[in-house]
Amino acid sequence: MDDRKFERKLWDHIESDRTVMLGLTSDPAGHSRPMTALLDKQTPGEIWFFTSTENELAQQAAAPMPAFCAFASKGHELFATIGGTVQTILDRDVVDRLWNAFIAAWYEGGKDDPKLILLRFTPAEAEIWLNEHSLVAGLKLLMGRDPKQDYDDKVAKVDL
């Protein structure tokens, strides 16, 4: 499978599953937090997060900071680590495009809530693991066959 297919699968899974673990690479403990990832067709290649100005990550990312996302699709068909940068920004056009009832529930002041801020994650690279045939590999293992060969073409490092 070529790298672009891995990349397309990654974006498709993020768009449908949305939950990633987002953290700063400078955090010595490697702390990350669950965040809802949103993709905007007007800004391809960017991942957006609605958050609060009181969020520690948002406070630390006033300037672009090296960051990472860890992602596992709901059905565990795809896993990824994504490296890039994150920065707080308040882009009203993006807010308008991505705003929905689930986001609105978090902000008493709606789109004009003074605590509303966006995190823009700009990915640079990803390592992606596909786990599409885990059942088949499990059956091969039970039959005494080596399942590792099924995974040789299921990992890719991709520039985003």
Side-chain angles (χ1 to χ4, degrees):
M1 180 180 305
D2 71 39
D3 287 355
R4 294 305 112 204
K5 288 183 181 176
F6 275 88
E7 182 180 355
R8 277 193 301 280
K9 284 181 177 281
L10 173 64
W11 291 120
D12 288 347
H13 279 280
I14 288 175
E15 186 169 30
S16 68
D17 297 347
R18 296 194 176 169
T19 302
V20 303
M21 296 295 291
L22 178 65
L24 296 176
T25 58
S26 61
D27 186 327
H31 178 74
S32 59
R33 58 204 39 84
M35 301 286 290
T36 301
L38 297 167
L39 303 180
D40 176 23
K41 291 181 184 353
Q42 299 294 319
T43 57
E46 305 281 346
I47 302 174
W48 296 91
F49 305 93
F50 281 82
T51 193
S52 167
T53 55
E54 296 175 349
N55 178 301
E56 184 180 343
L57 180 61
Q59 292 172 356
Q60 293 175 350
M65 298 286 294
F68 68 93
C69 290
F71 175 74
S73 66
K74 288 180 183 175
H76 294 166
E77 298 95 0
L78 183 140
F79 299 90
T81 55
I82 308 164
T85 59
V86 68
Q87 181 177 13
T88 54
I89 187 170
L90 189 53
D91 184 322
R92 291 291 174 187
D93 291 335
V94 174
V95 170
D96 287 342
R97 286 192 299 269
L98 299 180
W99 191 261
N100 62 51
F102 297 105
I103 295 166
W106 290 94
Y107 300 97
E108 292 177 16
K111 294 179 188 178
D112 296 317
D113 191 302
K115 294 180 182 175
L116 173 68
I117 195 78
L118 294 169
L119 288 170
R120 179 182 64 204
F121 181 76
T122 304
E125 75 279 332
E127 188 163 0
I128 304 165
W129 296 267
L130 299 179
N131 191 31
E132 298 169 324
H133 304 293
S134 59
L135 178 61
V136 173
L139 291 172
K140 286 182 179 182
L141 181 63
L142 288 173
M143 295 184 323
R145 295 172 64 195
D146 185 358
K148 291 188 293 291
Q149 291 175 334
D150 291 332
Y151 290 94
D152 287 345
D153 64 344
K154 302 297 182 205
V155 178
K157 289 186 181 181
V158 178
D159 291 327
L160 300 174

